[in-house]
Amino acid sequence: MCLGNICRSPAAEAAIRRAAAVAGLDLEVESAGTGDWHLGSPPHPMSQAAGAEAGLDIAGVARKVDPRELSGFDLIVAMDRSNYDDLRAMAPSSEVRERIRMFRPDGGDVPDPYYGTEADYRRMIEIVIPAAEELVAELAAARSEGSST
C-alpha cells in the first residue's frame, strides 16, 4: 500500500504478479492507497512507462483501502514508513497489525516518485522488482514448509 495508489503500489502489484507467475505460485494480489486523492484514476503515466520498460504491465484504478477489509488479507505490505504507521493505526486488531510489514526486505522505504522525473520512476521500478521477487520467494518457501509438515 502506498499513499495514492497510482505509482508505487500498482507497480508492486504488477511485479508481485509477475514474480508469482514465474515461480508458479498462485497469489491473490491487490493494491490500494491510504489516501483518497486519486480514486478511480489509472496508474501514473510515468509509472506505467517505467514499468513497461522493465516488462511490467502496470494497470488498474486507484482505490483507498477500507480498514474493514484488512482482516481479510494474509499479508499487507507498505511502501514506506508513513503508510506502514497509517495501516497499523487503522488495523482492527493486534492480529491484523502483525500481518503488516514493509515491502522492502531491508525494511526501507520505496521512494515516492510522484512529482519526480522519469528517472525517479525508473529507480522506483528498480527497487520494486527485486523486492517483489524476494517477497514471492519468501512466500513460496513458507508454502513449501507448510506443505511438508
Side-chain angles (χ1 to χ4, degrees), residues 6 10 26 28 41 46 77 81 97 107 116 140:
I6 62 167
D26 183 28
E28 186 175 329
S41 297
M46 284 196 281
V77 295
R81 184 61 56 182
R97 273 189 295 284

Side-chain angles (χ1 to χ4, degrees), residues 14-27 136:
I16 292 167
R17 286 183 191 282
R18 182 173 77 182
V22 167
L25 192 62
D26 183 28
L27 295 179
V136 168

Side-chain angles (χ1 to χ4, degrees), residues 9-129:
S9 55
E13 177 182 349
I16 292 167
R17 286 183 191 282
R18 182 173 77 182
V22 167
L25 192 62
D26 183 28
L27 295 179
E28 186 175 329
V29 184
E30 293 182 40
S31 66
T34 57
D36 61 2
W37 300 276
H38 303 288
L39 294 179
S41 297
H44 193 286
M46 284 196 281
S47 190
Q48 290 179 321
E53 287 176 15
L56 294 179
D57 179 19
I58 300 174
V61 294
R63 70 182 195 87
K64 182 179 178 185
V65 66
D66 181 334
R68 296 171 295 194
E69 72 183 315
L70 293 176
S71 297
F73 298 125
D74 295 327
L75 178 64
I76 303 155
V77 295
M79 296 293 115
D80 62 33
R81 184 61 56 182
S82 176
N83 284 290
Y84 173 85
D85 292 341
D86 289 346
L87 287 163
R88 287 184 55 84
M90 71 174 70
S93 69
S94 60
E95 180 184 323
V96 172
R97 273 189 295 284
E98 291 174 14
R99 293 186 226 145
I100 300 169
R101 64 177 254 191
M102 295 292 287
F103 176 65
R104 289 180 67 171
D106 65 3
D109 290 354
V110 175
D112 190 352
Y114 196 71
Y115 296 119
T117 66
E118 290 177 8
D120 296 319
Y121 282 85
R122 283 192 298 276
R123 178 68 186 129
M124 180 264 300
I125 295 295
E126 291 169 356
I127 292 169
V128 163
I129 290 173

